[in-house]
Every structure is written in C-alpha cells, then in structure tokens.
Amino acid sequence: DTAVSQTPKYLVTQMGNDKSIKCEQNLGHDTMYWYKQDSKKFLKIMFSYNNKELIINETVPNRFSPKSPDKAHLNLHINSLELGDSAVYFCASSQDGTGNSPLHFGNGTRLTVT
Amino acid sequence: GNSVTQMEGPVTLSEEAFLTINCTYTATGYPSLFWYVQYPGEGLQLLLKATKADDKGSNKGFEATYRKETTSFHLEKGSVQVSDSAVYFCALKDSSASKIIFGSGTRLSIRP
C-alpha cells in the first residue's frame, strides 16, 4: 500500500563508487522528483520529471543522472561518489507538475560516503 | 529570487503549550504557501496550505494564515502534544514557476 517507495533505505559506500537509488509510486501521479536533504535538514530539489520527461534540472553535478523508464518510476544514479554526496535523498511525486498539487514523499534513502 | 525563511530551532515546549513557528517569504506575484511536517524516519507530508491572501489553512489543530501585508505564514497550534514532535517546513510555490521551495525546517520537541 506504500504510495511512494524508495530503495534502499540505507546506503553506505566508498568514495569513487557508483550507486543507484530506485523510486516507485503507485498513486498514478504524472510528476516525480528527487530532493536532497543535508545534515542540517535543508531540503533542495534536484530533478523533476513529468510523464517521463525532464522538466526541472537544478544545478546538480552531472555525476547525478536520473532515469525515468515510465511515469511510475524515477531512479537516481550517482557516479564517482564524493564525501559531500552524503545526505538523505527523498523521492516524491505529485498529481501534476504545476506545483499546485501536494507532494507525496518517500521515506528517504540515507547515503553515507566514506 | 524566491525564498522562505523560518525560525531556527530547535523549539522545545511542554505538552499543552501554545506553539508558534514563524515563516516569512520573498516571492514575485501571488505564491501558494504550505506547511509540511516530517516525523522521525519518514518523508515529508503536507500539513496545510493556503493559496491566496487572507486564506487560513488548518489541519490536525494546526493553523496558518496567509498574510500578504507582512509576507508571513506563521504556524500555530493552541495545545501541542508529544506526538507533534517533528520537523516542520514552510514552503512556497511561485505563481510563475512549477517548483516548490522549502525553508530550512524547524525541529519541534514536546516534553510530556
């Protein structure tokens, strides 16, 4: 019954590795997002996809590459991980991409880079 | 640019105390305003929203009024409970943009 689910919940890896985080929503929403939350709880949008198409791409290193195989899935692949990538990454979805419909968040993936 | 500023935490209160978490914003046009809540170990969830000036959003005993003259959207609750302990985020959506911008979050802890 989970609306927005992301895996894994925890991810510990070493610098230089490549890792992926998966996200799926079963709400039938058209728009999905990735947010990064740093250690001070500050939340910043990274990407937004509407019906598999990229609509928001904030100033994010190109080591981060989102992929949306269908509108229910938005995965995040990170190459050459760095210490500064350590954070909690949240996937979210909304009915549409206008920003007027509420965001539904997953429970987050805590990434630790050592 | 658009931004949201909210009071720094942590805020610690006793059960049944009155709560105010301040939030002010900078935006062009007429933004929509939101409060989201993040319980420990979970993602954010929408608590309440207001889409135009003088609107009051309310949910679970929480209220916030959209004040255009002071560009504020302060969150209030008359009597807090231990279960209200969480991080609260003020957010806005500019009328000309599609993304939601979040404040830095305020951690609230309620003592029994």
Side-chain angles (χ1 to χ4, degrees), chain A residues 9 33 35 37 40-43 45 55-56 58 90 97-108, chain B residues 32 34 36 38 41-46 49 87 89 93-94 97-105 107:
Chain A
K9 186 171 182 178
Y33 310 79
Y35 281 83
Q37 186 176 46
K40 296 184 179 180
K41 297 293 186 182
F42 187 68
L43 196 68
I45 190 168
I55 57 172
I56 293 176
E58 293 294 288
F90 285 99
T98 64
N100 292 319
S101 51
L103 297 172
H104 294 254
F105 283 81
N107 286 343
Chain B
S32 295
F34 310 86
Y36 278 79
Q38 183 181 23
E42 299 182 9
L44 283 72
Q45 53 186 278
L46 180 66
K49 70 175 184 179
V87 181
F89 292 87
K93 178 201 137 355
D94 187 87
S98 60
K99 64 182 180 182
I100 294 178
I101 297 169
F102 288 87
S104 55
R107 183 180 297 278

Side-chain angles (χ1 to χ4, degrees), chain B residues 1-75:
Chain B
N2 300 329
S3 65
V4 176
T5 302
Q6 55 183 111
M7 62 190 290
E8 283 194 34
V11 174
T12 303
L13 296 171
S14 298
E15 206 165 20
E16 299 184 1
F18 183 86
L19 167 72
T20 300
I21 300 179
N22 290 337
C23 172
T24 57
Y25 67 88
T26 301
T28 55
Y30 301 93
S32 295
L33 301 173
F34 310 86
W35 276 100
Y36 278 79
V37 58
Q38 183 181 23
Y39 297 104
E42 299 182 9
L44 283 72
Q45 53 186 278
L46 180 66
L47 180 60
L48 54 85
K49 70 175 184 179
T51 57
K52 61 183 188 295
D54 299 326
D55 266 3
K56 177 186 283 188
S58 61
N59 186 24
K60 298 181 181 179
F62 290 89
E63 292 182 342
T65 300
Y66 189 142
R67 301 280 188 208
K68 186 164 177 59
E69 63 276 13
T70 53
T71 61
S72 65
F73 193 54
H74 304 322
L75 182 68

Side-chain angles (χ1 to χ4, degrees), chain A residues 46-103:
Chain A
M46 300 173 69
F47 302 103
S48 169
Y49 270 71
N50 187 61
N51 213 358
K52 301 194 298 177
E53 291 195 20
L54 181 67
I55 57 172
I56 293 176
N57 184 353
E58 293 294 288
T59 308
V60 176
N62 58 14
R63 298 182 294 104
F64 290 79
S65 52
K67 285 187 171 51
S68 183
D70 55 62
K71 75 173 192 177
H73 295 83
L74 180 62
N75 303 323
L76 183 65
H77 188 76
I78 315 170
N79 289 327
S80 303
L81 278 155
E82 300 178 356
L83 292 177
D85 298 332
S86 296
V88 181
Y89 292 84
F90 285 99
C91 178
S93 71
S94 63
Q95 182 65 51
D96 55 51
T98 64
N100 292 319
S101 51
L103 297 172

